[in-house]
Amino acid sequence: MPTAGADATRLTRSEKTEPLLVVEDLKTYFQTPNGLVKAVDGVTLSVERGKTLGVVGESGSGKTVLSRSIMRLNTAGNVITHGSVTYNGEDLLAKSPRQMRDIWGVEMAMVFQDPMTSLNPVVKVGRQMTEHIRHHLGVSKKDARDTAVELLRSVRIPEPEARFDNYPHEMSGGMRQRVCIAIALACGPKMLFADEPTTALDVTVQHQILNLLGQQQVDRFMTMIMVTHDLGVVAGRTDEIAVMYAGKVVEKAPTKQLFADMRHPYTEALLRSIPKIDDPKHTKLSAISGRPPDLINPPSGCAFSPRCPYAQPQCFTDTPPLGAAPTPGHQYACWFPVGSPEGKDAWDKNLEAKRPQTMAAAGLVNATEELAAGAVVGG
Amino acid sequence: MIKMLGLRLARLVATLFAVSVITFAMTLLLPGDPINAILPPTTERDPQIVAQIREEYGLDNNIAVRYKDWLNDAVLHQDLGTSYVTRGQKVTDQIKNRVPVTAQLALMAVVIALFFAIPIGVLGAYRQSKWDDQLTSAGMQVALSIPNFIAAIMLGWLFAIKLDLLPNTGWARISKEGLLANLKTSILPATALALTQMAIFSRLVRSDMIATLQENYILSARAKGLPDRFVLFRHALRPSSLSLITIVGINFGALLGGTVVIEQVFSLPGLGSKLLSAISSRDILMVQGITVFIATVYVIVNTLVDLLYIVIDPRIRRS
């Protein structure tokens, strides 16, 4: 974020320095016939005003449930939520659904993953943009229309007046996601959740949408949580990154720090699974061996241990706490962190014992062939 | 769009043609000679008179010619023939006379049913499996299981006999006795007809609505902070009403021919009771006329329903 520094100084002058959002030990469990699914299992994080937090993890790591839990959009009857979510000094979990409706759209808004399904197919785009403007801000139909057209223009939709009367099916995927962003921005929220905003889009469009989000965030001085499975997406666009695995944050650090000095083997594996442009041709895509963990009966000890190239006996029995690294703001949960002497020893020991996960990670064997369990592409 | 409308219209005409052929062919399948209906059974059959009558009614022509004449009169002169039984009574006049009663009953029944079914169905989906959903679902089950003539008798007993608020039988025409008198005579039979429809409609709305409420766009609408009622009625109802509209169309058509029992219970001069008496007196032209009329209305209503889809779901307009 090129202007993040400038914004931060403006912020400290005008606003209190306490974070806009503080999440403490948040747990979201789903009661299912098969057992309790611990989708989010004790997440603690905070986001300062005007900053962007990236939440990264595989499918099923709990990142989407986390963002919906913070916004309190999980309303199914089988949801159990514990912990605390403090937004702007207010306890969100204590609020009634009625009170939450005054926060949704106005204070917090969300851009959803799939623009093809998150707009109502039978309602004109214009009405979907103006209905909450009119509801929350109580403006006239005409003023709401003007605001909406202006918003469409600001998300760079050509001919916004004409597009106002379109139905969603008359627009492309990228255009629909622009509309979704415009809808989310319409009432000027202070906090924006972007839940895999580009996963359903073409690569070229992805880039435009991410730039648009980043620019709108700077222009409107919004705080943002960007949820993605792609470390590449958050690399240049976030101030801080939280890596989630099995409903827990396993590593959290300022973005630069994370890429420069990652400690958790899962973070390393996620990064390794991104193909690099200077790899030789036909390099095998590095997959994270094994499957994402079962959230009903998670593995004992560290949840990543069955797939971890560094795993030692201790990892299978003791759950590592999220502890501080020497660098400020950097936390990780690992007994044998990447880049430490313990980690190096663990790696060497596993390599010597020909632990398949380690062999695969070292590129010595193909993970998919070696692991009967079947590999899952990470990242 | 224009092409699609043209296609629908062509289909409508083709269906109506098929309806007319089948209805006309029905005459041939019915046992007995129409002459028996025309001439009193006691009359001695003078072959000359019989031949004269056959010629008068065109019965001596072959079937194709008879069909052609009948269709010609029906389409060009809106004349469905003259009853054999009540000689001189034009079928078309009889239908014109009887239709307002039946059509009004069917329309009122559908409107009353929808008026209650939509809120009940929406509530049921919104409060799925909670106590109020359980209660209304049970109520709808009861409404569905009571045959409409039982409901008619019960309603008549309660409102006409016990409370003495409404007449138990008879029909007041709007043109003669005015709207209020008309409503007083029509509300009980219409309600009796509406009960079953209401139960069917509300179940449909409820189940389609439950599916719609799972959609991502409902979550996005809620995440905008819109009130639940707004999300339910302005976002979820329309996409949930496609099968409702189909069934409303089909059932409206069915009601046109299916109010017979209710018309009997309340002694109403409707199309159904006329059809019943025409069948029992072998008044073939009358049966034919009423059947083809009901079928025509049915086909037209269902075409209108098809067009209504286009209004409701803009995505259909493109194809």
Side-chain angles (χ1 to χ4, degrees):
Chain A
M1 215 48 50
T3 52
D7 283 331
T9 48
R10 191 174 75 199
L11 166 74
T12 43
R13 254 181 283 139
S14 60
E15 304 238 28
K16 283 178 268 177
T17 46
E18 72 201 30
L20 182 64
L21 179 77
V22 180
V23 176
E24 271 170 284
D25 199 26
L26 184 66
K27 291 176 179 162
T28 305
Y29 297 167
F30 295 94
Q31 277 172 320
T32 70
N34 299 326
L36 205 59
V37 177
K38 297 175 178 174
V40 174
D41 198 12
V43 167
T44 297
L45 50 84
S46 62
V47 195
E48 281 172 34
R49 289 164 204 271
K51 301 279 184 177
T52 304
L53 171 73
V55 176
V56 186
E58 284 170 294
S59 319
S61 60
K63 53 197 192 309
T64 294
V65 176
L66 172 68
S67 57
R68 289 187 187 177
S69 299
I70 294 171
M71 268 187 88
R72 293 213 31 219
L73 283 170
N74 290 317
T75 49
N78 62 343
V79 182
I80 306 165
T81 308
H82 286 297
S84 88
V85 176
T86 312
Y87 169 81
N88 211 4
E90 291 183 82
D91 180 5
L92 288 192
L93 295 190
K95 287 192 182 291
S96 69
R98 174 82 201 73
Q99 290 170 317
M100 282 313 295
R101 284 204 290 274
D102 293 335
I103 289 182
W104 290 334
V106 187
E107 293 287 331
M108 296 179 149
M110 187 177 275
V111 176
F112 291 91
Q113 177 169 355
D114 186 358
M116 305 313 264
T117 59
S118 46
L119 290 172
N120 192 331
V122 303
V123 179
K124 281 181 182 169
V125 163
R127 208 196 90 197
Q128 299 195 51
M129 292 193 67
T130 52
E131 57 189 8
H132 59 312
I133 300 180
R134 297 191 61 196
H135 174 71
H136 288 303
L137 310 179
V139 297
S140 73
K141 205 168 181 174
K142 164 110 189 22
D143 288 351
R145 189 194 164 102
D146 292 346
T147 310
V149 168
E150 218 32 65
L151 276 163
L152 286 175
R153 191 169 286 126
S154 82
V155 296
R156 293 190 211 103
I157 289 199
E159 299 176 70
E161 287 91 354
R163 288 298 182 177
F164 187 87
D165 291 318
N166 273 176
Y167 284 98
H169 71 265
E170 296 167 306
M171 295 182 161
S172 69
M175 216 183 271
R176 287 192 216 185
Q177 194 62 301
R178 287 169 193 273
V179 170
C180 289
I181 292 171
I183 288 174
L185 299 177
C187 298
K190 296 188 185 65
M191 170 131 214
L192 185 68
F193 290 82
D195 182 6
E196 305 235 18
T198 58
T199 306
L201 302 174
D202 285 350
V203 181
T204 46
V205 181
Q206 281 186 12
H207 189 69
Q208 297 167 5
I209 294 289
L210 289 170
N211 287 349
L212 175 69
L213 274 173
Q215 209 215 317
Q216 292 289 341
Q217 187 209 2
V218 172
D219 291 353
R220 293 162 191 270
F221 196 61
M222 282 186 301
T223 307
M224 185 149 89
I225 288 189
M226 188 180 282
V227 174
T228 177
H229 62 266
D230 188 350
L231 266 178
V233 162
V234 289
R237 305 173 190 277
T238 53
D239 299 295
E240 200 182 12
I241 291 177
V243 179
M244 280 190 77
Y245 190 79
K248 289 187 165 77
V249 172
V250 294
E251 184 162 19
K252 194 167 64 180
T255 304
K256 276 191 187 136
Q257 172 70 22
L258 187 86
F259 281 96
D261 185 23
M262 59 186 58
R263 291 305 178 97
H264 202 280
Y266 179 61
T267 316
E268 189 191 44
L270 274 181
L271 192 67
R272 203 188 291 120
S273 65
I274 303 174
K276 309 212 176 24
I277 197 79
D278 45 3
D279 277 346
K281 273 186 196 170
H282 306 299
T283 301
K284 270 242 159 62
L285 196 61
S286 178
I288 304 179
S289 52
R291 293 175 190 285
D294 177 359
L295 295 175
I296 295 174
N297 299 303
S300 59
C302 171
F304 188 57
S305 58
R307 304 165 74 187
C308 180
Y310 297 83
Q312 297 298 309
Q314 185 190 6
C315 302
F316 297 101
T317 52
D318 303 345
T319 309
L322 190 65
T327 353
H330 192 167
Q331 293 176 299
Y332 60 87
C334 183
W335 299 120
F336 302 93
V338 180
S340 69
E342 299 86 359
K344 176 93 175 64
D345 282 352
W347 175 277
D348 289 343
K349 230 187 276 178
N350 283 347
L351 209 54
E352 209 170 302
K354 292 200 186 328
R355 177 171 160 84
Q357 290 84 342
T358 319
M359 301 291 280
L364 297 175
V365 288
N366 187 329
T368 42
E369 286 160 19
E370 195 68 23
L371 283 171
V376 167
V377 176
Chain B
M1 183 76 184
I2 300 287
K3 194 180 149 199
M4 187 168 62
L5 286 180
L7 212 67
R8 292 277 146 102
L9 206 65
R11 203 159 73 187
L12 174 77
V13 172
T15 315
L16 287 179
F17 178 72
V19 163
S20 72
V21 172
I22 293 167
T23 318
F24 190 82
M26 198 176 65
T27 336
L28 303 175
L29 298 176
L30 288 177
D33 191 328
I35 291 293
N36 296 339
I38 298 166
L39 291 175
T42 48
T43 329
E44 206 174 308
R45 302 285 165 93
D46 181 341
Q48 212 179 335
I49 295 175
V50 169
Q52 195 191 329
I53 290 173
R54 278 189 188 280
E55 202 192 331
E56 188 187 326
Y57 283 93
L59 292 171
D60 51 348
N61 290 323
N62 82 29
I63 183 72
V65 174
R66 278 163 61 195
Y67 171 70
K68 200 200 83 201
D69 289 346
W70 178 73
L71 191 65
N72 216 37
D73 282 349
V75 174
L76 298 181
H77 312 288
Q78 288 79 51
D79 180 2
L80 289 165
T82 305
S83 168
Y84 299 145
V85 179
T86 50
R87 299 193 70 173
Q89 235 183 33
K90 283 196 160 263
V91 172
T92 324
D93 291 343
Q94 282 293 308
I95 293 178
K96 271 188 199 149
N97 189 31
R98 299 285 186 136
V99 153
V101 178
T102 303
Q104 190 190 339
L105 279 184
L107 198 66
M108 279 177 74
V110 167
V111 169
I112 293 171
L114 283 175
F115 182 80
F116 291 103
I118 290 176
I120 289 173
V122 170
L123 175 88
Y126 177 60
R127 302 274 304 167
Q128 194 190 347
S129 304
K130 306 253 170 54
W131 68 270
D132 28 13
D133 175 38
Q134 307 258 10
L135 195 71
T136 50
S137 288
M140 291 302 109
Q141 200 62 50
V142 171
L144 194 60
S145 11
I146 298 176
N148 58 24
F149 61 91
I150 300 285
I153 292 168
M154 279 161 39
L155 285 171
W157 173 80
L158 182 64
F159 289 99
I161 297 170
K162 267 285 171 201
L163 301 175
D164 200 21
L165 292 171
L166 299 162
N168 198 13
T169 55
W171 184 262
R173 290 188 183 259
I174 301 179
S175 51
K176 283 189 197 138
E177 283 113 314
L179 184 64
L180 189 69
N182 169 268
L183 284 179
K184 275 186 173 173
T185 53
S186 58
I187 189 78
L188 284 184
T191 307
L193 286 169
L195 281 176
T196 317
Q197 305 302 324
M198 172 185 72
I200 296 170
F201 297 165
S202 74
R203 303 241 70 165
L204 273 177
V205 172
R206 181 180 174 275
S207 62
D208 282 11
M209 192 83 168
I210 285 173
T212 306
L213 291 181
Q214 303 298 316
E215 295 282 349
N216 284 340
Y217 56 79
I218 297 300
L219 182 66
S220 354
R222 289 187 45 238
K224 294 198 277 190
L226 298 171
D228 285 356
R229 197 182 304 151
F230 191 97
V231 174
L232 288 171
F233 286 94
R234 301 298 299 273
H235 277 275
L237 184 58
R238 216 143 74 116
S240 314
S241 50
L242 287 180
S243 42
L244 174 71
I245 285 170
T246 313
I247 296 299
V248 168
I250 291 174
N251 284 13
F252 179 74
L255 278 176
L256 284 180
T259 57
V260 183
V261 179
I262 293 295
E263 285 175 17
Q264 294 293 320
V265 172
F266 290 97
S267 316
L268 305 177
L271 210 53
S273 46
K274 186 72 198 172
L275 182 61
L276 199 66
S277 68
I279 291 171
S280 55
S281 63
R282 252 176 230 301
D283 190 349
I284 290 169
L285 270 182
M286 186 66 78
V287 174
Q288 216 174 52
I290 294 177
T291 312
V292 85
F293 174 80
I294 289 174
T296 306
V297 174
Y298 202 95
V299 172
I300 291 173
V301 166
N302 278 294
T303 305
L304 288 179
V305 164
D306 279 0
L307 296 180
L308 210 54
Y309 285 162
I310 302 172
V311 175
I312 285 187
D313 193 338
R315 286 170 298 182
I316 302 175
R317 274 172 232 172
R318 218 172 27 164
S319 48

